[in-house]
Amino acid sequence: MEAHEANTFTEHRQHLFAIAYRMTGSAADAEDLVQEAYLRWRRADPEEIRVPRAFLTTVITRLAIQHLESARVRREEYVGPWLPEPVVTAEHRDPAELSESLTMAFLVLLESLNPVERAVFLLHEVFDYSHPETAALVGKNEEACRQILSRAKQALRQRRPRYEVERSAAEKLTAALYQTMTAGDLEGLMSLLDENVVIYSDGGGLRRAAINPIHGPDRVARFLIGVSRKIDDGLHRYATEINSQIGMLGFRDGVVENAVVLDIANDRIAAIYIVVNPEKLQNLPEERKFHEPHTAS
């Protein structure tokens, strides 16, 4: 391949990954799809590629749809709650509208859509493609895409999370969470939690995790204190930004053991997402990339 053609692909690579990750909820799968898009780019007849970005976006979108359709059975048989693969976003700031679409709550919500609905919604609502452009990308006519988008928006409207939190406030609340949790301060911990707080814990059947979501301040607080007592010894926690939200990575002997992400609303913790499935943690940065750990007091 000519050097300028390789450079052209590289120019669009981040855009392709952004679409693939939001479609699949997996950084590993998104990387695989981007690689496949590159191979198709290399094999394509240059005469057929009028607009490289449009060609590549079409390829990655349709690959992602096919991937989700083939993965549907695996998702249905998944042990416990399915959560997206966490990605550290501290050094990669997206515009506000793109950051919101990276959050755990948003990506989990997208799971309620079928693959084509998901693609149409993301392309039009998140990546700002027009109706005709979206129709061309997914291989549908424009009217069909409008109907698909309408159904998707209706399905998401009532449940779409919209949390705007000052980073300093989020960091302070996170620090208080771990301080009260490791101290076994049940009342102090409960005071930090929203009355409708819920924990989702993803072990994928490979690590011990709660099979069902845990609801309510009392149950959530007791669960967190219990977990802390069992795993805190030798665990190093590092605060960082995960999926454009405040979060923590836990390392033991240099290996990442868990990723925790918080949804914060009205100065309270509304949801906690805990990923312990090792298959979803293997692409996270190594411990040496972080600064001083947060330890139990």
Side-chain angles (χ1 to χ4, degrees), residues 120-141:
V120 169
F121 181 85
L122 285 169
L123 290 169
H124 188 271
E125 295 294 301
V126 175
F127 293 98
D128 203 29
Y129 283 95
S130 68
H131 288 294
E133 289 171 330
T134 299
L137 291 170
V138 299
K140 303 281 186 182
N141 65 58

Side-chain angles (χ1 to χ4, degrees), residues 70-82 111 202-206 211 277:
S70 66
R72 186 175 299 170
V73 173
R74 295 198 303 273
R75 293 281 176 89
E76 291 173 352
E77 295 176 348
Y78 197 81
V79 178
W82 179 92
E111 287 291 297
D202 180 347
L206 301 176
I211 295 297
N277 182 342

Side-chain angles (χ1 to χ4, degrees), residues 43-56:
R43 293 194 297 262
D45 182 351
E47 296 295 324
E48 297 178 359
I49 304 176
R50 297 180 180 179
V51 182
R53 187 179 180 90
F55 173 85
L56 290 168

Side-chain angles (χ1 to χ4, degrees), residues 20-270:
Y21 176 71
R22 287 165 176 79
M23 282 288 291
T24 64
S26 166
D29 289 343
E31 288 287 1
D32 289 343
L33 294 178
V34 170
Q35 181 61 26
E36 177 61 27
Y38 175 69
L39 295 176
R40 296 194 181 195
W41 163 258
R42 291 192 61 180
R43 293 194 297 262
D45 182 351
E47 296 295 324
E48 297 178 359
I49 304 176
R50 297 180 180 179
V51 182
R53 187 179 180 90
F55 173 85
L56 290 168
T57 303
T58 300
V59 170
I60 201 70
T61 298
R62 297 186 186 185
L63 284 173
I65 290 172
Q66 293 169 11
H67 173 83
L68 286 176
E69 289 173 342
S70 66
R72 186 175 299 170
V73 173
R74 295 198 303 273
R75 293 281 176 89
E76 291 173 352
E77 295 176 348
Y78 197 81
V79 178
W82 179 92
L83 294 177
E85 180 182 339
V87 292
V88 172
T89 52
E91 298 178 359
H92 304 282
R93 301 286 179 181
D94 277 328
E97 65 275 12
L98 290 180
S99 292
E100 189 247 350
S101 67
L102 274 175
T103 63
M104 285 280 178
F106 186 85
L107 292 173
V108 169
L109 192 57
L110 289 179
E111 287 291 297
S112 64
L113 305 179
N114 68 44
V116 174
E117 289 173 340
R118 190 164 180 160
V120 169
F121 181 85
L122 285 169
L123 290 169
H124 188 271
E125 295 294 301
V126 175
F127 293 98
D128 203 29
Y129 283 95
S130 68
H131 288 294
E133 289 171 330
T134 299
L137 291 170
V138 299
K140 303 281 186 182
N141 65 58
E142 186 177 340
E143 181 55 34
C145 273
R146 288 180 181 272
Q147 294 176 5
I148 291 170
L149 178 63
S150 178
R151 290 199 304 269
K153 290 171 71 173
Q154 184 175 0
L156 300 180
R157 185 174 294 117
Q158 297 301 319
R159 296 181 293 162
R160 185 172 179 178
R162 291 189 179 276
Y163 305 137
E164 294 185 8
V165 184
E166 289 290 335
R167 184 173 181 83
S168 59
E171 290 175 344
K172 185 178 296 186
L173 192 56
T174 302
L177 170 74
Y178 281 98
Q179 182 178 1
T180 54
M181 186 176 80
T182 56
D185 180 0
L186 181 63
E187 291 188 5
L189 182 51
M190 288 178 61
S191 71
L192 306 174
L193 306 175
D194 184 83
E195 63 180 357
N196 296 312
V197 66
V198 58
I199 280 184
Y200 303 92
S201 184
D202 180 347
L206 301 176
R207 291 290 185 272
R208 188 173 181 179
I211 295 297
N212 298 304
I214 299 171
H215 297 266
D218 183 73
R219 294 185 64 199
V220 166
R222 292 181 186 279
F223 174 82
L224 289 174
I225 290 173
V227 168
S228 177
R229 287 172 176 165
K230 292 176 182 177
I231 71 170
D232 262 0
D233 187 35
L235 189 73
H236 294 167
R237 293 194 184 97
Y238 299 84
T240 188
E241 184 180 286
I242 302 173
N243 287 74
S244 296
Q245 298 171 277
I246 192 69
M248 284 270 186
L249 293 180
F251 289 84
R252 192 185 305 279
D253 298 325
V255 178
V256 62
E257 189 171 280
N258 60 62
V260 179
V261 180
L262 306 180
D263 271 347
I264 297 173
N266 301 319
D267 299 321
R268 292 290 185 274
I269 297 169

